[in-house]
Amino acid sequence: MGERQVLPGYCLLLPDPVVPHLNALEAGARAQFMFDMALVGDVLLLITAAARINYAIYGNVDPALHAHIFPRDSAEPESTRTAQPWALDWNAAPLYSDALHGDFKRRVGMELRKRYAAKSPEA
């Protein structure tokens, strides 16, 4: 889960082990990372009111591969509905806390474990 929940359900995906960028992964690991990223999106679509998922991989500030995964809700205010997430007020966003977001995180984890076993390209 993202440290600041700028959009409800915002998640981060990091590879293990850490690599500097997507192109540093061997073909199989690269395919797995992209698969995992889409799988997180599938789960977020399932358990949120998201109309779509925004995915972002940059690495300009933190040179370690990570993907930002943002559920986007069609009920977002008009002023933010089409804005990219970095245009939003991150300082006003609630910090992740287990008290506020723990149940959601557990639901995501449970659904990921269930789907990963059934859909992994390695299976």
Side-chain angles (χ1 to χ4, degrees):
M1 301 292 301
E3 181 182 21
R4 290 251 180 210
Q5 289 291 292
V6 67
L7 292 164
Y10 164 49
C11 293
L12 287 162
L13 176 67
L14 296 92
D16 184 19
V18 174
V19 296
H21 49 77
L22 184 64
N23 303 91
L25 293 172
E26 295 294 327
R30 185 182 306 179
Q32 187 67 54
F33 185 83
M34 299 303 284
F35 174 86
D36 292 347
M37 184 177 69
L39 192 61
V40 172
D42 290 341
V43 168
L44 291 174
L45 283 169
L46 178 72
I47 64 175
T48 69
R52 74 183 63 241
I53 303 296
N54 289 166
Y55 302 92
I57 299 174
Y58 294 108
N60 297 352
V61 174
D62 185 6
L65 176 60
H66 60 285
H68 301 269
I69 307 168
F70 299 97
R72 301 304 299 255
D73 190 335
S74 59
E76 288 176 42
E78 184 68 32
S79 61
T80 62
R81 189 173 307 137
T82 59
Q84 54 93 356
W86 282 266
L88 303 176
D89 186 357
W90 286 66
N91 291 325
L95 285 169
Y96 172 85
S97 76
D98 200 52
L100 290 175
H101 307 101
D103 182 57
F104 180 83
K105 180 181 175 182
R106 283 183 284 282
R107 288 173 48 215
V108 168
M110 184 174 68
E111 192 63 35
L112 281 171
R113 284 185 293 278
K114 182 169 58 173
R115 288 172 171 244
Y116 190 84
K119 296 184 178 180
S120 175
E122 301 297 318

